[in-house]
Amino acid sequence: MAESPLHRRGTPVTFTRQQAQVIRMALRMGKPLPPCPHCGAALNTSEPIAGGGTVGPVWQIHCEECGRSAFLTELPDGRQAPDDAGVARLLPDEVIALDTIPSYRVTQVVTRHWPQHAEQDRQRLTAALRPVLEPLAEPGASATEEIRARCETIVREWLATTDMAP
């Protein structure tokens, strides 16, 4: 298959959301990497890319033939990022500790922990967490077990719907 003009210029070309989902589903089912859903060539895996903050490694899945790629936080051999649910339960403490305007606190912790996700996905998570976490900016607010559990649920549900869902 011919190389795309964007790929020749060095611009990354990603799989569509549906194509990336084909790869993720195969990995979730414990299967080896499937062929490229765009051109059928073999897919390759990069060395892990270090995450930011408490985010663990991320692997790039790419096709040499058509130049498309996707980023995943888990591979079939069991390598995976740290526990996102555990990170989610600590978000209330981080929001309380930050000294910025309330709405920016939520954006800041989401960006710190999930920088490898698309901006649109991070914005959805920020919007979902904002009603739970912004009240913690009030003087005397504290992180309760209920708030921690709610953050964990929101993050789990969000992760299941992102392009990088494990």
Side-chain angles (χ1 to χ4, degrees), residues 27-163:
L27 295 177
R28 272 192 208 129
M29 294 167 45
K31 296 180 180 178
L33 284 173
C36 174
H38 179 74
C39 71
L43 292 174
N44 299 306
T45 306
S46 71
E47 289 299 314
I49 302 164
T54 59
V55 174
V58 175
W59 289 265
Q60 182 182 23
I61 307 300
H62 61 281
C63 176
E64 294 292 332
E65 186 69 27
C66 68
R68 283 171 170 69
S69 66
F71 291 91
L72 303 173
T73 56
E74 185 173 342
L75 291 178
D77 63 5
R79 294 178 286 171
Q80 57 183 295
D83 177 29
D84 284 307
V87 170
R89 295 183 69 78
L90 296 174
L91 293 178
D93 298 306
E94 288 188 48
V95 168
I96 290 170
L98 289 172
D99 189 24
T100 61
I101 59 173
S103 61
Y104 186 67
R105 292 178 192 199
V106 179
T107 301
Q108 193 172 6
V109 296
V110 167
T111 301
R112 178 184 304 153
H113 293 291
W114 294 281
Q116 74 276 24
H117 288 271
E119 177 67 26
Q120 180 181 353
D121 285 335
R122 289 195 315 264
Q123 288 173 353
R124 282 191 309 109
L125 178 58
T126 300
L129 288 169
R130 190 166 274 136
V132 177
L133 294 174
E134 276 187 0
L136 296 175
E138 296 296 320
S142 62
T144 64
E145 179 57 31
E146 182 180 332
I147 292 171
R148 292 180 198 289
R150 186 69 187 123
C151 288
E152 180 180 354
T153 300
I154 290 169
V155 169
R156 283 182 191 273
E157 289 172 357
W158 170 76
L159 282 170
T161 65
T162 67
D163 274 346

Side-chain angles (χ1 to χ4, degrees), residues 14-25 37 69-70 118 120-121 124 158 160-165:
T14 60
F15 291 109
T16 66
R17 187 177 288 259
Q18 291 171 328
Q19 291 169 337
Q21 192 61 28
V22 167
I23 298 167
R24 282 187 199 86
M25 289 305 293
S69 66
Q120 180 181 353
D121 285 335
R124 282 191 309 109
W158 170 76
T161 65
T162 67
D163 274 346
M164 295 181 63

